[in-house]
Amino acid sequence: MRNVSLVTTFVLMGLPHDPTLDTVLLGIFLVFYLLTVVGNLLILLVISVDSHLHTPMYFFLTNLSFIDMWFSTVTVPKMMMTLASPGGGTIFFGSCVAQLYSFHFLGSTECFLYTVMAYDRYLAISHPLRYADLMSGRRCATLATSTWFIGSLHSALQTTLTFCLPYCGPNQIQHYFCDAPPILKLACADTSANEMVIFVNIGVVASGCFLLIALSYVSIVCSILKIRTSEGRCRAFHTCASHCIVVLCFFVPCAFIYLRPGSKDAVHGVVAVFYTVLTPLLNPVVYTLRNKEVKKALLKVKSELVFTHNK
């Protein structure tokens, strides 16, 4: 028997908050969103125009910035709409499907990309003499393409498992965007099997990526400890610090939401803000404020723009 959805629209109820704070929260999230888009666009611009940054590390960083810019765009504007409309934000069924697919596509791709970036740092520090050969342009392109392809497959599975069920009753999603856990609560069928497969699927992906990243950094630390000079050790640690910060800010909230049973809607929504709003903003901040090469390139671009304007 074919599942037929009788629900044509959903209503996103947004973040749990005092209604008197709608305007304040709308302003805050608008500022965060604009900073995220501008910050990531700036990183893309700087890396593309500065030949000194045409290295594997910054190639993967451009992928990360591109993902973060769209990852935020998929969720934050709709959240601002829920704040602007008293009854919540209405979203068509098809748009909800597209949003869930895009969210998991970008999120899982970012998860795989963090793993590839950890591998890149491992090769750069543990095998510096062979690094150029091991991370050739073709290999970097292959690794990046693989993360996007596997992310699309992972998201397709999540989306199919969520929307293969019939939705014929309540249509109020207790969240600010279409995500699998709150949507499954509205299904007019038993969702236990779907929830279990989604739980295992996300668990295997997240745990596997995190384990590979951890193993990479164990090897990195062992290699760093073999460096004789303190200056060399500090430089190596500094190279990896930015990546470690963004990895923790991405994986910890995701694990809190998706890898624990019986999550509460209010807690789910608040924690989701960290990886949908703050993490995409944090990436350009961390990689610019902590990275001398990027800061130098930014100053170079700024001086060239000033020179062009004065000319």
Side-chain angles (χ1 to χ4, degrees):
M1 181 177 178
R2 205 174 67 178
N3 289 326
V4 178
S5 172
L6 302 180
V7 173
T8 57
T9 59
F10 289 110
V11 179
L12 297 168
M13 301 309 294
L15 284 170
H17 66 284
D18 188 336
T20 59
L21 297 176
D22 280 350
T23 305
V24 175
L25 291 175
L26 179 61
I28 292 173
F29 288 125
L30 176 61
V31 170
F32 279 9
Y33 175 66
L34 292 176
L35 289 175
T36 299
V37 173
V38 172
N40 284 293
L41 280 175
L42 197 58
I43 286 182
L44 291 173
L45 172 65
V46 168
I47 293 176
S48 64
V49 300
D50 194 319
S51 59
H52 294 96
L53 301 181
H54 293 174
T55 63
M57 173 181 170
Y58 294 105
F59 170 74
F60 294 126
L61 182 56
T62 58
N63 279 265
L64 181 63
S65 293
F66 184 81
I67 289 172
D68 280 334
M69 185 172 60
W70 287 106
F71 191 60
S72 183
T73 300
V74 165
T75 56
V76 178
K78 200 63 185 177
M79 175 173 59
M80 291 190 291
M81 289 179 63
T82 65
L83 293 170
S85 55
T90 302
I91 183 170
F92 290 109
F93 188 91
S95 300
C96 190
V97 174
Q99 187 182 45
L100 188 143
Y101 175 82
S102 301
F103 173 76
H104 281 280
F105 171 43
L106 295 168
S108 56
T109 302
E110 183 163 348
C111 179
F112 297 129
L113 186 61
Y114 282 135
T115 309
V116 171
M117 292 174 76
Y119 175 66
D120 171 67
R121 291 299 83 207
Y122 159 72
L123 292 180
I125 294 173
S126 301
H127 304 282
L129 299 179
R130 300 173 55 205
Y131 177 66
D133 293 329
L134 293 172
M135 292 300 287
S136 62
R138 176 176 292 183
R139 180 161 294 183
C140 289
T142 300
L143 287 171
T145 303
S146 298
T147 62
W148 287 92
F149 178 70
I150 299 173
S152 66
L153 294 180
H154 177 265
S155 180
L157 177 60
Q158 300 293 101
T159 306
T160 302
L161 287 170
T162 302
F163 289 103
C164 68
L165 299 169
Y167 292 89
C168 53
N171 68 339
Q172 293 185 341
I173 301 174
Q174 299 299 323
H175 205 9
Y176 59 87
F177 67 93
C178 291
D179 197 9
I183 291 176
L184 286 175
K185 293 180 179 180
L186 306 179
C188 302
D190 181 21
T191 62
S192 56
N194 302 66
E195 290 175 349
M196 180 56 65
V197 175
I198 288 175
F199 176 84
V200 172
N201 187 28
I202 294 178
V204 169
V205 170
S207 302
C209 288
F210 192 80
L211 178 61
L212 290 174
I213 292 171
L215 289 174
S216 297
Y217 275 101
V218 168
S219 300
I220 287 171
V221 170
C222 293
S223 298
I224 290 176
L225 294 177
K226 295 177 182 178
I227 299 175
R228 295 181 179 181
T229 63
S230 59
E231 182 182 352
R233 287 194 295 270
C234 289
R235 187 164 58 248
F237 273 120
H238 189 273
T239 302
C240 302
S242 299
H243 183 256
C244 288
I245 292 171
V246 294
V247 162
L248 289 175
C249 290
F250 179 83
F251 277 94
V252 172
C254 288
F256 185 83
I257 290 176
Y258 295 105
L259 303 183
R260 67 190 188 98
S263 59
K264 296 180 179 179
D265 294 328
V267 178
H268 186 148
V270 172
V271 176
V273 171
F274 280 91
Y275 67 89
T276 58
V277 180
L278 298 180
T279 301
L281 173 62
L282 185 65
N283 286 345
V285 173
V286 168
Y287 279 105
T288 53
L289 295 182
R290 295 184 55 85
N291 194 306
K292 293 180 180 179
E293 291 179 323
V294 175
K295 286 191 286 187
K296 188 185 297 184
L298 281 170
L299 292 174
K300 182 181 177 181
V301 171
K302 179 183 177 183
S303 62
E304 289 178 353
L305 290 174
V306 171
F307 176 77
T308 304
H309 178 73
N310 291 335
K311 185 177 179 182

